[in-house]
Structure formats: C-alpha cells, structure tokens
Amino acid sequence: MSLAVVKPESKSTSPKKQPLPGRDYPWYSPRLWHGMTLSPWLKLAVENRFRFHPARAFMGLIVTNFAIGNSALTYLQRTMYGRAIRKTEIKDPPVFILGHWRSGTTYLHELLANDERFATPTSYQCFQPHHMLLTEWMMTHLFWWLMPSKRPQDNVKLGWNTPQEDEFALCAMGLPTPYRRMAFPNNGPVDLEYLNMRGLSDQELNAWKEGLSWFVKLITYHTGRRVLLKSPPHTGRLGVLAEMFPGAKFLHLTRDPYSLFPSTMKLWRALHFAQGFQMSEGNDLEEYVFTCLERMYEGYRDQRPDVSDDDIVDLKYEDLIADPVGELQRAYESLNLDGFDVVEPQLAAYAQASRSYQTNRYQIEEELREEIARRWRFYFNDYGYEI
C-alpha cells in the first residue's frame, strides 16, 4: 500500500486545504442511518430542520424508505424473538476495547476477534440491529457487493461480516451518541455529554443503559458466546460499563498525540463526507477533536479508580504494533483470561498477515504541535509520551 503523507500547507488543518478523504465511498453503499426505524430518523431530521445539501437530498429519501421497512421488520423481530432476548442471561460479562479514535482500537479488535470464544458484532449486526436475526443471512449473501472493500477513512478491510463498533448499533437504535453529528456536520456537535456520562438525568442514563444491555443480550442470544465490544466513546463510560456488567474486562489503548490528532481529523472528514447529508465545512473540526478527547478522558480518569486493576490493562499502540502477540499475552495474563496458548497461533498468523499494512504519516505545523501539547498535556504525562 502506498504511504500517504499529509504535508503542511497552512497553520490550520482545515479540510479546504487538504484532499478530502472518503470521496470514493460509493453512493449506493450502506450508511449508518439506513438502520434506523422511522421515529428516530424523523427525530434526527426534524432536530436539524431538514437542512440537507441538494446533492444529498436523494439520500435522505432513500433513508426514509429504509426506515419504514426497518420499522416493520423491527416489529416482526420483536414479536418472534423479543421475549427470548430479554430473558437472555449474560453469564460471561463483556470484554471492552477502549481508547480514543485512531489509537489502534480497530487493529486490537480484529486481533481479538481471532479468539473464537468471543462474539464480535459484525458490520451488518451493528447497522441493522432491529432485524438482524431475520435478515442477516439473506442480505449479506445477496447484497455483498453493496459494502465497499475498505473503510472511507483508511485502507482497513470492510465487509458485512467484519468486526464493527457497537456505537453504530446504538446510533441506529436511536440512542443519543456523538456519532449523530455525522448526519448534519455543519450544525455542530451533539450529545457530547455521552462521552463522559456527566450531566445526564436518571431517565437519560437508564435509557442508554437499557439500549446497550439489549444489544449485548441480542448478540449473546444470537451467538451464545462472550461478547467483545469496541467503541472509542466507551472510554469515558468506563465506570458505567463496569457497574452495568460486573466482572467486565477492559483493554485500554493509547497512542502518540502527535499522530492521534491529525489522524482523527482525517477520520471525521472522511465520515462526514461518506455519512453526511451536508457537505461539511469543517470550520469547527480542530476544536471538536480537542474537546472530544478532553471530555472522554475526564470521564475515564474520574471513573478509573472504581475499576479493579485485575479488570483493566493499559496498552500502547506503538508496543502493540511492534509485538502484537507478546502484548496480547500480557493482556490475557493481566485480565486473567484463560486459553491464550490455544488462540496464540491464530493471533500470530493474523499479526503476520497484517505486517504489510502501513499507517499514514503526518507533518503538522509547529503552532498546531504546540496547541496539541498545551491542550492534551495531561495525556502526554499520563501515558508517557514526549512533548
């Protein structure tokens, strides 16, 4: 794969000054909003006053038609399986992968998915949680060609059956999540309180918990295995998750902030273009990236003392890339996860196959480097990165 280098062009990393990632994402490919039922979809559109870009209005009509169909299929799945899902017992608490966007959580997720004792929600299951039990086999076999071969933000493999973030499922279910910003990126951030779970009413918090619990039970019912989840926003929900699922295990990843910041900028540009109903202006994107990490780690640092050291392990992206098998062995031992010797050959084979993948390298202006050091100094200090 070619090595993409982002060259400094100005003091800002504004998308107007950079090539726009995500441009080659096919118009017919699945969007996050295709999994919504009618009520949350209309709520999202009304909240944003139907401010569709003319070039994206047709996509809005498509999503509306999907929402009508999803509503009917949701009723059918609830009628056929609702009681069984609600009664499903979560015998083995989930394993959560935490860490800011672009910190290597996807790589770790795909590594751990080689352990067949884990049930990892797939792209289809996260995009269509309302009726996956009814439609997954048919849709993934008949419409495999709809899914692009790689993600819009990078060259990571994508497919209906590849591991996916459960945050997408929560969004499709109509739960509050910062990911709703992707639909109308020019209208500003939303649901930032769900990055650290601060300021929520009891009703809001309980509704969010019920939604995530239902999804975990859905995957447990479907697979009968221990659920493995990866979602960067879960980082600031650490204490809430530990309370919801006693005995849950957490793997927390960090990465050099000087790589983290520009890579996250590229991520949001790509997702805004691929998922948005507007053409993103990106005027607030730098501030958004700064703020999200700060909020996320406010929650993480506050809640970390409430979690036993036996239930959480810290990993560095740089160490994981250098020695994935060794770092995972350390993680399994720290978390008292049995059977590493059984899964080690699969992990080693996947790690070897992934060695040819090259991450992007970034050059950023000195003024922006100083701002990263100033705003995220606590992150540098907490995790041993050099300013």
Side-chain angles (χ1 to χ4, degrees), residues 34-35 66 69-78 80-81 122-144 146 160-161 218 222:
H34 288 163
F66 267 90
N70 290 337
S71 297
L73 289 169
T74 298
Y75 177 78
L76 186 58
Q77 177 170 285
R78 186 182 301 135
M80 296 177 64
Y81 299 103
T122 65
S123 293
Y124 189 84
Q125 293 166 0
C126 290
F127 282 16
Q128 300 290 352
H130 298 294
H131 53 79
M132 50 159 280
L133 296 177
L134 301 174
T135 61
E136 182 176 16
W137 186 91
M138 179 184 69
M139 294 296 292
T140 56
H141 282 76
L142 292 181
F143 297 100
W144 56 269
L146 287 174
W160 286 124
N161 296 315
L218 171 68
H222 183 54

Side-chain angles (χ1 to χ4, degrees), residues 61-200:
L61 291 176
I62 293 175
V63 171
T64 301
N65 288 327
F66 267 90
I68 294 171
N70 290 337
S71 297
L73 289 169
T74 298
Y75 177 78
L76 186 58
Q77 177 170 285
R78 186 182 301 135
T79 300
M80 296 177 64
Y81 299 103
R83 183 178 180 183
I85 294 171
R86 288 193 300 272
K87 293 178 66 175
T88 297
E89 183 179 354
I90 303 173
K91 296 180 180 179
D92 295 312
V95 175
F96 292 92
I97 296 173
L98 310 179
H100 191 270
W101 298 281
R102 311 306 294 162
S103 62
T105 55
T106 295
Y107 180 58
L108 180 57
H109 196 198
E110 294 183 344
L111 276 169
L112 288 173
N114 288 278
D115 190 335
E116 295 182 353
R117 294 170 298 176
F118 293 136
T120 307
T122 65
S123 293
Y124 189 84
Q125 293 166 0
C126 290
F127 282 16
Q128 300 290 352
H130 298 294
H131 53 79
M132 50 159 280
L133 296 177
L134 301 174
T135 61
E136 182 176 16
W137 186 91
M138 179 184 69
M139 294 296 292
T140 56
H141 282 76
L142 292 181
F143 297 100
W144 56 269
W145 52 272
L146 287 174
M147 183 66 79
S149 60
K150 63 181 183 179
R151 303 191 304 184
Q153 66 268 32
D154 53 31
N155 290 316
V156 172
K157 181 181 177 182
L158 184 63
W160 286 124
N161 296 315
T162 54
Q164 190 56 266
E165 291 185 26
D166 57 292
E167 195 76 14
F168 288 168
L170 302 185
C171 189
M173 291 159 56
L175 292 175
T177 165
Y179 283 16
R180 296 195 309 130
R181 170 195 166 101
M182 286 187 279
F184 297 92
N186 294 335
N187 293 358
V190 295
D191 299 327
L192 290 182
E193 60 271 26
Y194 287 87
L195 286 175
N196 55 22
M197 310 308 277
R198 290 183 177 180
L200 300 179

Side-chain angles (χ1 to χ4, degrees), residues 252 254 297 300-301 314 316 378-385:
H252 173 234
T254 59
Y297 276 90
Y300 180 82
R301 297 168 91 198
D314 290 305
K316 280 190 173 183
F378 73 91
Y379 190 98
F380 283 91
N381 293 338
D382 286 359
Y383 303 113
Y385 291 101

